[in-house]
Amino acid sequence: MRKVLMVLFILSVGLGLQTLAAKPIKLTFNTLFHEADAKAMEKIIQMFNEEYKGNIEVELIQGRWAQYYAELRLSVLAGTPPQIGICHTNKLVEMADYLTPLNASPVGDLIEMAGVDPANYVDAAWAAGEIEGRHYLIPLDTHGWGLWYNKDIFAEVGLDPENPPRTLAEFIDACERIKAAGYYAFHPAEDALPRKLRRAWYVFFWQMGGQLFDEAYTHATFNNPKGLLALQFLVDIFNDFGWNEPGSNGYNQFAAGKLGMLVAGNWFYGTAVKSGVNWGYAPMPNFFGTPYTWGNSHQLVIPLQPKGTPKEVYLAAMEVIKFISEHSYIWTMYGGHITAYKPAAENPELLASEYWTRSGKWLNEMAQKGLVHYPINHPKGSELEHAIQAQIELAVNGVISPQEALAKAEEECNKILQGG
Amino acid sequence: MKWIKRYGPYLVLYGVAFLWIIPILWMADTAFKPTRDIFSIPPKWIPSHFTTEHVERLFAEWPFARWLLNSLVVASFVTLGSLVVSVPAAFSFSRLRWRGRDAVFMFLLVFMLLPWQVNVIPLFFMMTKFRFLNTYQGVALPMIAMPIGVFLLRQFFINIPRDLEDAARIDGCSSLGVLLRVILPLSKPVLAAFGVYIFNYAWNEFFWSMICLRKPQMVTLPVGLKILQGAFEIDYGLILAGAFMASLPSLMVFLLLRRQIIRGFTLAGSGVKG
Amino acid sequence: MGLKGRGAIPAPFSKMRKRIGRFFYRHPGVEGFLFALPYMALWAVFLAWPVVYGIYISLFDWDPLRGSRFVGLANYLELFREPRFWNAVTNTFKFAGMAIPLILGLGLVFALMVWGWGRKRRGIVVVQASLFFPYLLTVSIVAIVWKWLLERDVGLFQHFLSSVLPSAPVFLTEPAWALPAIAIATAWWLAGYRMLVFQAGLEEIPVELFESAEIDGALPYHKLVHLILPLLKPSLLFALVLTTISAFRTFGQVLIMTEGGPGWASEVLALYLYRVGFDYFDIGKAAASGVVLLFLILVITLLGVRILGLKSELQ
């Protein structure tokens, strides 16, 4: 009998001690990344888990961006959200209800408590994270479109491979020469998927100083001479100018060495290198006034947590976010998106890397100069963009005229905004 | 003229079969071409050299083997589970008499028409509550619940002659006994056919798997392929290498068990004869 | 107790078994129900309940964070007022109208070929296997391969077509040709199984019937229409129902091959439903379109069965 009591006593002491001993805080980090950038984030989180072993443990789940926001919302509603997530800048208005306001969280001002300094982040990116005094986002990166060009084709047609076109005149000249040599001259929209064509139109429109919607998002403001000129230009690239053909895939053309200039995002880097083409990279040319380019920004967020989530969890999540920021030069080097954390952008390893010297630094320049234009930020953003891109695609394919396309798009957008 | 009559059918048969297979051949061809040759305009069949770089990258950068395993586990789970619950149910609907039996069966059938999209969000919440998200059972259970199994099996059981059953009952056999000792032994080919059909259905299921499985380590093959494709719409070498490797298991099993599989699907189709 | 059958049964169990046996004898309904119970339980939890809940959601402006509002049929009315919804419905019918005859037609032709010419010919299994194999592939593979084949610049089929016919359409980028292209890919995928179904049906036809038809001097055409087709009715029913369901539920191929484009030209109802739910997160409206889709499938299937005079086969 005594033996049994002894054993029980030891067991209970052991159990008691176990529960007293600090257990690591387990966090889940859900991202929408895939391929190269996902691998980059894996590296960073691996480093974090090693450094914080025993204290904080992060489980990284990388998803598919197609459903990411729906999944995030559903998981918040189901009461099992991740502690850290990602949010595009232009999704903030849609997602705000599902995120924790960092400066007004249930446990206090997390930004202050964690010692995060807004001055360390690119201004435009930081400012984009606030709605009515509540701040939701911590910037991770800027990413966007730039001009990729084929140096061999340039040399062949008598253009300077180290001096890609910067103005409209130079650009048209380059295109005509490349076209005369029998190549595809220019592709403004990656693989010409509907959303890419829409972005290409955005670029031309924004460069003219155009605004898609009014400040209060009550109606569309793109069915005007500027919008029309921008769309006509886009349509002509694929038709009258003869610089390319509707429905063509710029990625494929460029990788096959048949395309002179391609507008594509920084994620094209991997394919460009593998294709064996002798490529160069340049900022978006100044077609129509201000050399804006299309871009977006990934931001780190803490989704809305269930009631009663302890302070430690929030603070641990902020630790992870801070760590990621500080190590975001890895994010840029391996993932390609330009870090929005100023100290990381000065990291010597990054500055010496091939990615940076061959293309990254140009994108960074555009970001610093405020030339990366974010897309619309509205709860019905997806619907609006779908409505616009459907018409743009039809115009580019020659099914309807640009006038019709803009009129139709305006009509549909107004219906969506005004709750038709 | 006689030549045409004799060899014409061969030509047509083999010709059509060959044309039909071209997409698969092209997929295999592309999976082993260097990226440069993949993007060659015009497309060409014989590349400068064959390479395994895409396949290597596939296994190095993605948990492809894990996807294969997941598909195997899920499909097996569904097949076994289906057999266990559908066989007694089909037996009940075909050979046992109870009030409302046929009405209930008709009602069940309606659910065969169901598109997943209708179910998905409620299922998502349910699985979250049960903590079955991202698990094998979470993916498998709704599939087991699909009436197609009961439907097929019932058609077979209906056709088994009454006398055998009557004889067994006279000997004092219970219904369970009838099922185990009379029906099942007679149904071996049918059960095999059913197994093949359900296995293939579960192996290829896409939509619910896409919603339920988020962790890259848990994902099944069809979803894995979509991830490959969605991630980078441009890396055709990798995507087609993935498609090729994903069809390899089906191809190998098919070549080995070709007769049985075809017989199985044929039975599954013909079983509906009244 | 003497030994009966396989092995002795211990006394208490045999008494219990006898009691159970008597109970079931007097209440046959219970036994039947119990056998079906495991399946019915699964069905109720994982199929029936979500549908019921889905219908319930469709009556709300669903927003758990801010509070869902009961709106009755408002979601449905909103759907019916939306041109894009009707476009999706029309596309679904268009697609079904192309895919179903194609799939069934090819399946029948192949079955006739293989059965008619293959019986005494060597290597027929190879032909059969080649025609059937695509069915074993998953939708992702089929869609990826066909998207690749119809690629504008580097697609094998597209290139071949364009070189033979200079005015050939670029399938996946022209509104009028996107759905047909998807239908063709779907037919390639699914026809093989229908071939087997029809082949099984053909083999069930007694040989004597053919012999007497020969004696009567029937032409192949007559044999087909008056002999074969009527006797294939059960197989036709089965294939038709399955194919109709498949066609109306089509989602994966469209998502991967065209994403519903160009424009909305190939957006079918299942894809529209998915977008409303997962892109726009309008869950109430998505649930409503789900109910509409289910209803459509039900009606069309029943109609098809009745019109083709196959109702009797269902019993």
Side-chain angles (χ1 to χ4, degrees), chain C:
Chain C
M1 293 246 143
L3 287 165
K4 213 174 185 187
R6 297 178 171 81
I9 301 159
F13 282 127
S14 79
K15 249 205 213 138
M16 194 161 67
R17 280 174 100 219
K18 276 207 182 133
R19 274 215 201 108
I20 294 178
R22 265 198 301 257
F23 176 77
F24 281 143
Y25 185 71
R26 272 187 237 132
H27 304 100
V30 179
E31 186 180 41
F33 188 71
L34 282 181
F35 269 82
L37 192 58
Y39 174 74
M40 301 281 300
L42 275 181
W43 172 85
V45 172
F46 293 106
L47 278 193
W49 165 241
V51 172
V52 170
Y53 191 58
I55 299 179
Y56 175 71
I57 291 180
S58 73
L59 303 171
F60 283 77
D61 178 6
W62 200 75
D63 191 351
L65 270 194
R66 278 166 274 198
S68 305
R69 246 185 335 130
F70 179 76
V71 291
L73 293 177
N75 282 326
Y76 292 91
L77 290 177
E78 198 183 318
L79 272 181
F80 296 153
R81 270 201 304 248
E82 215 176 277
R84 194 169 152 203
F85 169 76
W86 290 111
N87 176 63
V89 172
T90 316
N91 283 341
T92 309
F93 274 95
K94 270 198 217 161
F95 176 77
M98 286 184 276
I100 297 178
L102 205 57
I103 296 172
L104 292 179
L106 278 174
L108 189 59
V109 165
F110 288 164
L112 287 170
M113 264 171 40
V114 170
W115 169 82
W117 286 333
R119 254 168 314 177
K120 284 171 229 132
R121 294 206 158 84
R122 280 181 293 161
I124 194 61
V125 187
V126 174
V127 174
Q128 201 182 33
S130 305
L131 296 173
F132 175 67
F133 180 67
Y135 182 72
L136 292 181
L137 298 174
T138 178
V139 66
S140 314
I141 298 181
V142 174
I144 289 173
V145 171
W146 276 87
K147 180 164 188 218
W148 175 235
L149 285 170
L150 295 174
E151 257 280 337
R152 188 187 201 291
D153 297 309
V154 291
L156 186 69
F157 282 179
Q158 185 65 60
H159 176 81
F160 176 73
L161 222 68
S162 302
S163 45
V164 162
L165 220 75
S167 60
V170 178
F171 277 89
L172 294 180
T173 59
E174 288 185 31
W177 289 99
L179 276 179
I182 303 177
I184 293 175
T186 309
W188 177 81
W189 181 33
L190 299 178
Y193 178 48
R194 277 70 179 163
M195 170 186 76
L196 288 188
V197 170
F198 291 140
Q199 208 182 329
L202 285 169
E203 277 165 14
E204 294 280 332
I205 301 178
V207 187
E208 303 86 53
L209 290 177
F210 282 108
E211 287 167 2
S212 49
E214 284 282 333
I215 292 172
D216 286 345
L219 297 166
Y221 169 73
H222 287 150
K223 274 197 268 184
L224 179 66
V225 174
H226 297 292
L227 180 57
I228 294 180
L229 284 183
L231 288 174
L232 270 186
K233 265 195 183 170
S235 310
L236 278 173
L237 165 71
F238 183 63
L240 178 68
V241 169
L242 236 52
T243 309
T244 306
I245 298 173
S246 276
F248 275 84
R249 297 208 287 211
T250 293
F251 168 75
Q253 309 92 294
V254 183
L255 179 67
I256 295 180
M257 282 176 81
T258 62
E259 290 190 20
W264 306 132
S266 62
E267 190 177 57
V268 291
L269 196 49
L271 182 60
Y272 174 73
L273 197 168
Y274 170 73
R275 282 196 163 138
V276 172
F278 284 86
D279 277 346
Y280 311 153
F281 211 66
D282 194 340
I283 303 295
K285 198 160 146 197
S289 23
V291 170
V292 171
L293 180 57
L294 179 57
F295 183 70
L296 265 179
I297 295 181
L298 193 59
V299 165
I300 296 294
T301 309
L302 287 176
L303 262 180
V305 167
R306 187 159 285 185
I307 288 181
L308 292 174
L310 299 172
K311 186 147 194 272
S312 51
E313 305 295 334
L314 207 50
Q315 258 55 13

Side-chain angles (χ1 to χ4, degrees), chain B residues 7-190:
Chain B
Y7 293 109
Y10 270 120
L11 222 67
V12 174
L13 284 172
Y14 280 103
V16 169
F18 177 70
L19 284 175
W20 207 246
I21 284 295
I22 284 184
I24 308 229
L25 295 175
W26 182 240
M27 165 179 75
D29 185 66
T30 308
F32 294 100
K33 281 204 285 232
T35 310
R36 252 166 269 209
D37 289 333
I38 293 180
F39 288 123
S40 72
I41 303 172
K44 46 184 182 166
W45 278 93
I46 317 278
S48 50
H49 62 279
F50 283 106
T51 168
T52 54
E53 59 174 337
H54 303 298
V55 179
E56 286 167 30
R57 268 188 64 214
L58 181 69
F59 281 95
E61 294 177 15
W62 300 89
F64 192 82
R66 182 66 208 244
W67 292 345
L68 204 64
L69 180 69
N70 290 335
S71 276
L72 202 61
V73 171
V74 170
S76 309
F77 192 141
V78 173
T79 307
L80 280 170
S82 252
L83 277 169
V84 166
V85 299
S86 299
V87 165
F91 177 62
S92 164
F93 283 119
S94 60
R95 308 197 74 103
L96 296 178
R97 252 156 284 165
W98 44 286
R99 198 124 45 110
R101 177 192 75 175
D102 287 332
V104 171
F105 184 67
M106 281 287 134
F107 189 55
L108 278 192
L109 275 202
V110 169
F111 283 82
M112 254 184 19
L113 308 175
L114 207 58
W116 278 119
Q117 290 88 336
V118 177
N119 277 5
V120 152
I121 301 223
L123 265 180
F124 182 89
F125 281 105
M126 186 187 297
M127 290 304 178
T128 310
K129 270 217 185 78
F130 292 168
R131 296 191 184 282
F132 279 171
L133 267 192
N134 279 310
T135 61
Y136 291 132
Q137 56 272 33
V139 189
L141 285 169
M143 284 195 245
I144 298 179
M146 273 292 177
I148 185 74
V150 178
F151 177 66
L152 287 176
L153 285 173
R154 174 183 175 268
Q155 293 298 125
F156 284 116
F157 291 166
I158 278 186
N159 287 335
I160 295 180
R162 264 245 109 79
D163 347 340
L164 293 169
E165 184 181 343
D166 292 340
R169 285 205 190 267
I170 289 174
D171 277 347
C173 221
S174 67
S175 289
L176 185 60
V178 170
L179 176 63
L180 292 177
R181 301 220 187 106
V182 177
I183 306 280
L184 281 187
L186 283 179
S187 308
K188 284 216 186 81
V190 163

